[in-house]
Amino acid sequence: SKAVSAVKFSPDGKWVASASGDKTIKLWHYEDGKLETTLEGHAQGISDLAWSSDSRYLASASDDTTAKIWDIQTGRCLKTLKGHTNYVFCVNFNPQSNLLVSG
């Protein structure tokens, strides 16, 4: 197993998302701490996570030079954002959650 690189509470307080060097994102129930699901799709480790303001979407930044947007209800990757030429270390939604920045 690899180290956890990011842990973020959802804005609605229902979830905790954790990202790891093992290329996965885990979604945990806040109240009981149980693992709900594991999101997979990155080719390398994940360095950062960001929740949309409505807690419906989660963005991830990865060493595979991509950022991804995930639908939390289905667990599916909605979009893979390409264009970085090196690791993506950070990601964040704007307050309205209609823009995503990454670096």
Side-chain angles (χ1 to χ4, degrees):
S1 75
K2 303 240 179 168
V4 172
S5 53
V7 179
K8 304 284 174 81
F9 282 101
S10 63
D12 65 8
K14 294 180 181 177
W15 303 99
V16 175
S18 63
S20 168
D22 71 0
K23 307 181 273 188
T24 66
I25 300 164
K26 295 189 183 300
L27 293 178
W28 310 84
H29 288 275
Y30 165 71
E31 288 191 11
D32 61 17
K34 289 185 180 175
L35 178 64
E36 171 71 15
T37 192
T38 300
L39 306 177
E40 297 180 276
H42 278 292
Q44 294 185 33
I46 301 163
S47 55
D48 196 23
L49 298 170
W51 286 95
S52 63
S53 58
D54 62 5
S55 300
R56 290 182 58 201
Y57 305 105
L58 188 66
S60 56
S62 173
D63 291 354
D64 67 9
T65 73
T66 69
K68 291 183 181 285
I69 300 173
W70 304 85
D71 181 321
I72 295 310
Q73 291 185 332
T74 65
R76 296 181 70 175
C77 176
L78 299 176
K79 187 78 174 170
T80 298
L81 304 167
K82 300 177 182 179
H84 286 274
T85 57
N86 209 331
Y87 303 145
V88 184
F89 285 110
C90 51
V91 67
N92 207 4
F93 283 100
N94 71 336
Q96 297 80 24
S97 295
N98 62 347
L99 292 173
L100 185 72
V101 292
S102 59

